[in-house]
């Protein structure tokens, strides 16, 4: 059964960096997405990585600061630089089997807190 294991959250000061990891087991996916949810707000898409092409998509709010990549073991990373307090939230990785499907495989959330 496919699973995603997310890790790497923590507390950082504004302007700092964190790297989140999402390790999939049990399946090969079409793409991985990173989502986040701040207190009192809806979950939002941060960005996506397409496995076979390496193409990426980023939300405007993180473009130029966040980078998604994948290694040879299919672990997908979210490198977050120049962090802002508004980046605070629970971050989730998710995966889907093809472009036309929803992200139906979810990892556990990891908390990211950016202090002013």
């Amino acid at each position: 059964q496919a699973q995603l294991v997310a890790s790497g959250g923590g507390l950082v000061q504004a302007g700092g960096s964190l790297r989140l990891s999402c390790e999939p087991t049990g399946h090969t996916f079409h793409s991985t997405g990173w989502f986040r949810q701040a207190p009192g707000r809806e979950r939002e898409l941060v960005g996506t990585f397409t496995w076979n092409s390496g193409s990426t998509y980023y939300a405007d709010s993180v473009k130029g600061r966040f980078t998604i990549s994948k290694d040879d073991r299919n672990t997908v990373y979210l490198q977050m630089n120049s962090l802002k307090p508004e980046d605070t939230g629970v971050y989730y990785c998710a995966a889907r089997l093809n472009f036309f499907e929803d992200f139906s495989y979810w990892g556990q959330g990891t908390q990211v807190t950016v202090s002013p």
Side-chain angles (χ1 to χ4, degrees):
Q1 184 175 356
Q3 286 186 312
L4 301 174
V5 179
S7 61
L11 172 64
V12 66
Q13 287 187 328
S17 299
L18 281 175
R19 189 177 76 161
L20 307 184
S21 301
C22 179
E23 181 179 1
T25 60
H27 216 293
T28 299
F29 296 102
H30 170 272
S31 51
T32 297
W34 283 99
F35 296 78
R36 67 186 181 187
Q37 186 165 22
R41 300 188 64 178
E42 292 188 355
R43 187 174 60 199
E44 63 174 347
L45 176 66
V46 173
T48 63
F49 182 95
T50 301
W51 284 31
N52 60 357
S53 66
S55 63
T56 54
Y57 162 84
Y58 300 99
D60 287 344
S61 58
V62 306
K63 202 171 293 183
R65 300 186 297 121
F66 290 12
T67 303
I68 302 175
S69 61
K70 186 175 76 68
D71 68 16
D72 291 343
R73 296 181 301 171
N74 294 331
T75 297
V76 176
Y77 301 95
L78 177 65
Q79 178 67 44
M80 305 184 292
N81 299 327
S82 301
L83 281 161
K84 305 175 182 180
E86 51 263 45
D87 294 317
T88 294
V90 179
Y91 282 68
Y92 300 88
C93 67
R96 57 186 175 183
L97 297 178
N98 62 67
F99 179 81
F100 301 101
E101 288 190 6
D102 291 334
F103 286 94
S104 56
Y105 297 87
W106 289 82
Q108 82 284 12
T110 184
Q111 176 70 43
V112 171
T113 303
V114 184
S115 63

